[in-house]
Amino acid sequence: MKTRIGLIGLVFCFAGILNTSETFGQADGYITLSAIEANGESVNREVKFGDEIYLGRSEGDGFLKIKHINFRNGTIEADIKGNNTPQQSFVGLAFHGKDDETYDVVYFRPFNFRNPDRKSHSVQYIAHPTYTWQKLREENPGKYESALDSDLDPDDWFHVRIEINSPAVKVYINNHPTPTLSVNQLSSGEGGWVGLWVGNFSDGWFRNLKVVSKK
């Protein structure tokens, strides 16, 4: 299911993005709301928007992507909220998207944040379609996922900043100075779209998305 929608109240900040100014009508690094409306597309999710963006629950992965962005290196930030429902709260940010099957994701399992037996599975990097979480956990246990470095309420908002300097990917939570996850990309690291992502049978809330690109 694909739906073009308008995203009101969402601020995107781009600095130094190549070949996007004409497409998005940028002014001083900001993308206009009309451009976001024209380029937002949901895949396998119903999307509601207001002060925050809500991606509904459904079978399979789903995401809201912003097309025609050639993001490669820089930072992606957002406030994200999932919930404490075991195996039904996978929420994160996608980037370097090529199509609806090929993209990287950093995502979170809020139901594991305070679980003493599963805290080490709180944040995950994947690169679809080849490097799924199952493949990475089986072949490289503990390398592409980690615990958080602070105690978070699984039902509350948390701030995420992903720094990408291909191939390096670093994930910071709530402005903590130390990355909670640091990996090298398994994909090509080439540019592509950015999106809001939820996993199988998951819904999620997103706000204050900011993307800053650098050469």
Side-chain angles (χ1 to χ4, degrees), residues 7-177:
L7 307 180
I8 298 175
L10 185 65
V11 177
F12 284 72
C13 175
F14 283 72
I17 295 182
L18 299 179
N19 303 320
T20 60
S21 294
E22 184 176 344
T23 301
F24 288 96
Q26 286 177 235
D28 298 327
Y30 287 90
I31 298 179
T32 65
L33 289 174
S34 60
I36 296 170
E37 181 175 4
N39 290 281
E41 183 180 284
S42 65
V43 177
N44 195 36
R45 281 301 185 275
E46 179 182 359
V47 180
K48 298 179 181 179
F49 55 93
D51 292 335
E52 65 264 354
I53 297 172
Y54 172 72
L55 274 63
R57 189 184 304 275
S58 184
E59 184 176 2
D61 297 346
F63 47 89
L64 170 65
K65 65 179 178 181
I66 309 302
K67 301 180 295 180
H68 310 307
I69 294 177
N70 189 26
F71 174 85
R72 182 168 185 252
N73 289 321
T75 60
I76 307 171
E77 298 185 57
D79 297 325
I80 300 177
K81 185 168 79 73
N83 57 66
N84 199 23
T85 306
Q87 306 305 320
Q88 293 187 25
S89 186
F90 307 99
V91 289
L93 299 171
F95 53 95
H96 293 177
K98 302 294 185 236
D99 51 45
D100 291 352
E101 287 75 41
T102 308
Y103 51 86
D104 291 8
V105 182
V106 169
Y107 74 90
F108 302 84
R109 304 179 179 100
F111 53 88
N112 284 340
F113 286 177
R114 292 180 172 176
N115 185 320
D117 298 320
R118 300 189 61 81
K119 290 181 68 173
S120 61
H121 305 308
S122 292
V123 55
Q124 174 85 53
Y125 165 82
I126 57 176
H128 278 182
T130 303
Y131 297 101
T132 65
W133 71 267
Q134 296 100 324
K135 178 181 177 66
L136 294 177
R137 187 177 294 179
E138 179 180 345
E139 297 180 359
N140 299 277
K143 184 174 181 179
Y144 294 97
E145 58 184 327
S146 73
L148 302 184
D149 33 27
S150 57
D151 183 34
L152 299 183
D153 184 338
D155 290 306
D156 202 0
W157 290 94
F158 56 98
H159 183 75
V160 178
R161 185 175 86 256
I162 305 173
E163 293 185 356
I164 302 164
N165 187 15
S166 296
V169 176
K170 296 182 179 181
V171 184
Y172 298 83
I173 304 300
N174 287 347
N175 300 310
H176 196 284

